[in-house]
Amino acid sequence: MDISPYETDNSVSCRLTSQIPDVCRKEDCCLGIDEAGRGPVLGPMVYGICFCPVSKKEALKDLKVADSKTLTEAERENLFQKLDEAKSYVGWALQILSPNTISTSMLQRTKYNLNALSHDTAIGLVQYALDSGVQLKEVYVDTVGPAEKYEEKLSQLFPGIDVTVRSKADSLFPIVSAASICAKVARDHVVKSWKFAENLGEVDTDYGSGYPNGTESISLFSDPKTKFVRFSWSTAQTLMDSKAVTVHWDDEEEDGEKAAQRQNNRSMLSYFGASGGDNGQNPTQQTHRFFTERRLRSLNTL
């Protein structure tokens, strides 16, 4: 698998795609969705879709695809090779969500949790297939969150497509198993060949699968400072709390946003009360610069 487009800048997310088989633009198709790397504290999370004509479901079974977690790395590589060789009727697409993307999404002021990120990524991949001309009639998804709500959400977004969301879908539907294999192989390649942009000196790359309970993973960021780490994970936060220097930000003045919030919390009637002073402001109340800089003042009359 060629992951070089992602390696050019592994701090941002990247989409890798196969060619779209001509038959997928002509016949009704099924599509499976699964991910790899949801739990690890190191490395990306990869979402994958795999699609083929409904008439080729049995041919897909003949490839003996299975849930990627039940396969060895060599078996996954071999099955991905078979899927790639079946390009006359099988297509795939992968969305690699970088650790940096995951961290900044989950730590931003307006919280964007992993479930929402997962849903939006899966939706984007389905839309990619539709925009590419794939004649989707069936979509099978390994659930994230409550299956019924997720299924309802996807059905509303993609009317006319029969959507099935199930727990352990990767072991129930071959097309989801195929997507699982594509995602897992891509993640394995990315983790193994990760290029550290930071000046870390000698790095021990024996960091295992990157799960929080792995001693190999913990040793990599005992002094965490690389974008290979998901800093939104509690494992990373615990280490940062114990090893990093605490910084306190003391604002000399209340910032504009807080001032605006304070003003918004005032009763609307307060803006029409008796005034004192030339500008209609209460002389005993000091106006924040947020309002003075914008020449905003209270109204006495309409």
Side-chain angles (χ1 to χ4, degrees):
M1 177 182 289
D2 180 17
I3 60 169
S4 57
Y6 178 66
E7 290 181 318
T8 57
D9 185 357
N10 57 26
S11 67
V12 297
S13 297
C14 176
R15 180 173 292 172
L16 306 178
T17 62
S18 71
Q19 291 184 342
I20 306 295
D22 289 339
V23 67
C24 291
R25 292 191 171 103
K26 299 174 183 177
E27 295 186 19
D28 290 351
C29 292
C30 60
L31 178 147
I33 306 175
D34 199 12
E35 51 76 25
R38 180 179 174 85
V41 69
L42 301 178
M45 179 170 70
V46 181
Y47 253 84
I49 61 171
C50 195
F51 48 88
C52 74
V54 175
S55 62
K56 292 290 187 179
K57 278 185 176 180
E58 291 303 317
L60 194 63
K61 286 183 180 179
D62 292 340
L63 295 178
K64 301 188 185 306
V65 293
D67 175 10
S68 64
K69 293 186 288 295
T70 67
L71 303 170
T72 65
E73 183 177 351
E75 288 172 333
R76 289 193 297 268
E77 289 284 348
N78 182 51
L79 284 170
F80 176 77
Q81 186 64 31
K82 289 182 178 180
L83 289 169
D84 208 35
E85 290 172 353
K87 56 188 175 183
S88 62
Y89 66 92
V90 173
W92 53 265
L94 302 166
Q95 189 72 29
I96 303 176
L97 299 173
S98 71
N100 189 52
T101 295
I102 295 171
S103 296
T104 54
S105 296
M106 295 179 68
L107 294 175
Q108 64 185 7
R109 178 170 294 183
T110 304
K111 299 302 181 185
Y112 186 29
N113 65 38
L114 197 61
N115 279 6
L117 182 60
S118 297
H119 286 192
D120 290 346
T121 302
I123 289 166
L125 285 169
V126 173
Q127 191 60 56
Y128 160 76
L130 290 171
D131 292 343
S132 299
V134 179
Q135 300 299 303
L136 290 184
K137 295 300 178 184
E138 302 173 6
V139 169
Y140 300 89
V141 187
D142 196 11
T143 192
V144 173
E148 291 183 3
K149 289 185 178 180
Y150 194 11
E151 185 171 293
E152 181 181 3
K153 179 180 182 178
L154 292 175
S155 297
Q156 290 176 350
L157 286 171
F158 302 108
I161 297 177
D162 184 14
V163 177
T164 302
V165 179
R166 295 288 184 273
S167 178
K168 307 296 184 184
D170 46 3
S171 61
L172 298 174
F173 308 106
I175 195 66
V176 181
S177 300
S180 173
I181 290 167
C182 293
K184 180 61 174 170
V185 168
R187 176 176 154 78
D188 286 347
H189 281 227
V190 169
V191 170
K192 275 189 172 184
S193 61
W194 187 268
K195 293 182 177 10
F196 291 90
E198 305 84 2
N199 184 20
L200 299 180
E202 192 70 24
V203 177
D204 181 4
T205 57
D206 185 20
Y207 34 70
S209 58
Y211 280 86
N213 59 353
T215 55
E216 302 92 341
S217 302
I218 298 298
S219 64
L220 176 67
F221 61 103
S222 57
D223 181 17
K225 53 188 175 183
T226 167
K227 290 181 180 178
F228 190 45
V229 175
R230 302 180 190 178
F231 290 100
S232 50
W233 258 231
S234 60
T235 312
Q237 187 60 52
T238 299
L239 283 171
M240 291 290 285
D241 290 343
S242 65
K243 295 179 179 295
V245 176
T246 302
V247 177
H248 296 286
W249 300 96
D250 295 323
D251 294 332
E252 292 183 0
E253 295 184 80
E254 183 181 41
D255 64 31
E257 183 177 343
K258 289 181 179 178
Q261 184 178 4
R262 176 171 53 79
Q263 290 290 337
N264 288 336
N265 289 336
R266 294 173 58 189
S267 167
M268 286 296 294
L269 294 176
S270 66
Y271 287 92
F272 299 95
S275 65
D278 295 338
N279 64 353
Q281 301 288 351
N282 186 337
T284 64
Q285 179 181 347
Q286 184 177 2
T287 303
H288 191 276
R289 62 183 176 83
F290 175 85
F291 297 95
T292 57
E293 288 174 357
R294 292 163 177 77
R295 299 182 181 179
L296 300 175
R297 61 187 178 87
S298 300
L299 291 175
N300 299 318
T301 59
L302 292 175

